[in-house]
Amino acid sequence: MNKTETLAYEWLKKQGYKEREITFLYGKPIDFICSDGKRYEVKFLYGNQIIFSSSQNDKLKDNDIILVFDRTQ
């Protein structure tokens, strides 16, 4: 996991998920899937933007949750 994904993992645990309930998907279009079926994509800010590749954008679903972190945190 990179630094931003680690921040998201810690955030998910603070939301009440246990470690065993969080699956990290390295190199996939979505970063985390939790035991309740929620899917999370993690992004960090580039200035005031977040960036998705076109292939990633095509694979995201309407109910996926995007977590955005400021890298200065």
Side-chain angles (χ1 to χ4, degrees):
M1 270 183 240
N2 65 33
K3 181 179 177 180
T4 308
E5 291 162 341
T6 301
L7 287 171
Y9 183 72
E10 294 303 320
W11 182 86
L12 288 168
K13 290 192 303 184
K14 287 179 183 174
Q15 301 312 299
Y17 290 109
K18 294 178 177 40
E19 288 185 15
R20 69 177 184 279
E21 297 175 321
I22 305 168
T23 302
F24 175 64
L25 303 171
Y26 179 78
K28 301 293 181 183
I30 201 79
D31 291 308
F32 297 98
I33 296 179
C34 294
S35 58
D36 59 4
K38 290 184 181 177
R39 296 164 33 115
Y40 296 88
E41 173 58 21
V42 180
K43 293 292 182 183
F44 58 85
L45 288 174
Y46 288 99
N48 62 354
Q49 300 177 349
I50 56 173
I51 298 173
F52 295 90
S53 69
S54 60
S55 62
Q56 183 181 38
N57 192 47
D58 292 341
K59 293 175 183 166
L60 290 173
K61 297 180 180 180
D62 289 341
N63 58 346
D64 289 342
I65 300 164
I66 311 302
L67 300 176
V68 180
F69 291 88
D70 182 346
R71 291 195 79 168
T72 60
Q73 295 178 347

